[in-house]
Amino acid sequence: LAEQILCTVNDILIQRGLLLKTGTVVDATLIAAPSSTKNKDHQRDSEMHSSKKGQQMYFGMKAHIGADAESGLVHTVRGTSGNVHDVTEGNSLLHGQEIMAFGDAGYQGIGKRPDAKADVTWHVAMRPGKRRALNLENAADALIDKAEKIKAAIRAKVEHPFRVIKRQFGFVKVRYRGLKKNTAQLVTLFALSNLWMVRGKLMGALE
């Protein structure tokens, strides 16, 4: 049902010209789960796992999304345990009609994976260490840095849906045990986030 809700919402947005199909931005975020064992089974949720981000460890699941590169509206959602690497799910977040895709440095090498689509060109961010090593006084390095800024501006659009479900809808921790129920709730929330993000245009069309 959750997938049908997302598809129905997006079909309406496509009809109104608010969701395009030429490019996709992919990203993932960690959703925390209770690490407590104070329950009747005295165990943590077996479908949630620990993951390291920076120097900090997190326990929970990951929400992987594919969003329209023009509008930032979400078209694909995948829920996995927290220890699944972003690049593993990257190609499954494409809808199949795009000609280009964008991702942060965590998606390095995605275009060479067995599940990569031959007709999609990936634009993946340079690793932070390599970018810091660029000499901006060198013309070639300056052009590379400019290209990275353009890619970053496009990727920034995928952050907005995460902000909506976490801030507007308050979804900062999982609500249930197991991935199936939590993923269903995530899919529904991203469908609602699409409506939230274009609410002004939709209300204007009704006036």
Side-chain angles (χ1 to χ4, degrees):
L1 181 59
E3 291 286 351
Q4 292 176 20
I5 292 171
L6 179 60
C7 288
T8 300
V9 167
N10 285 347
D11 285 345
I12 294 170
L13 298 180
I14 290 170
Q15 292 170 14
R16 295 181 180 275
L18 298 173
L19 200 160
L20 305 177
K21 291 279 190 175
T22 57
T24 288
V25 189
V26 300
D27 202 2
T29 190
L30 287 159
I31 307 292
S35 58
S36 173
T37 58
K38 294 178 180 179
N39 52 57
K40 65 178 182 179
D41 298 321
H42 302 289
Q43 292 181 347
R44 300 194 304 181
D45 189 340
S46 60
E47 295 187 25
M48 305 292 164
H49 289 278
S50 297
S51 177
K52 189 174 184 180
K53 186 174 182 180
Q55 299 300 314
Q56 191 169 350
M57 294 296 296
Y58 295 87
F59 178 77
M61 68 177 293
K62 269 188 181 179
H64 306 259
I65 65 170
D68 180 56
E70 179 69 23
S71 63
L73 299 173
V74 176
H75 57 71
T76 308
V77 182
R78 297 280 184 269
T80 68
S81 58
N83 60 348
V84 174
H85 199 283
D86 296 1
V87 72
T88 305
E89 291 292 320
N91 285 300
S92 71
L93 301 173
L94 305 181
H95 51 61
Q97 297 180 35
E98 58 270 283
I99 57 176
M100 63 184 70
F102 302 83
D104 61 27
Y107 293 92
Q108 286 284 340
I110 192 169
K112 299 178 181 178
R113 293 181 62 84
D115 60 345
K117 296 174 174 60
D119 54 348
V120 175
T121 301
W122 278 94
H123 301 278
V124 178
M126 180 182 289
R127 296 197 183 278
K130 290 186 67 175
R131 187 174 178 186
R132 286 194 295 269
L134 293 175
N135 178 10
L136 299 185
E137 295 182 0
N138 177 281
D141 283 4
L143 282 174
I144 293 172
D145 186 68
K146 187 175 181 179
E148 289 300 311
K149 288 180 179 178
I150 294 171
K151 288 191 287 185
I154 296 171
R155 291 197 311 275
K157 294 178 181 178
V158 80
E159 299 295 338
H160 195 183
F162 289 136
R163 183 187 182 282
V164 172
I165 69 163
K166 289 183 177 182
R167 296 291 175 260
Q168 266 69 36
F169 301 155
F171 191 84
V172 293
K173 287 188 178 182
V174 300
R175 299 288 193 268
Y176 311 103
R177 287 181 67 84
L179 288 172
K180 187 175 181 180
K181 289 182 179 180
N182 286 303
T183 300
Q185 185 174 24
L186 277 169
V187 174
T188 305
L189 288 175
F190 279 116
L192 293 173
S193 79
N194 283 353
L195 294 175
W196 171 273
M197 289 165 60
V198 296
R199 64 194 184 282
K201 293 179 181 178
L202 290 176
M203 292 301 292
L206 295 174
E207 292 178 355

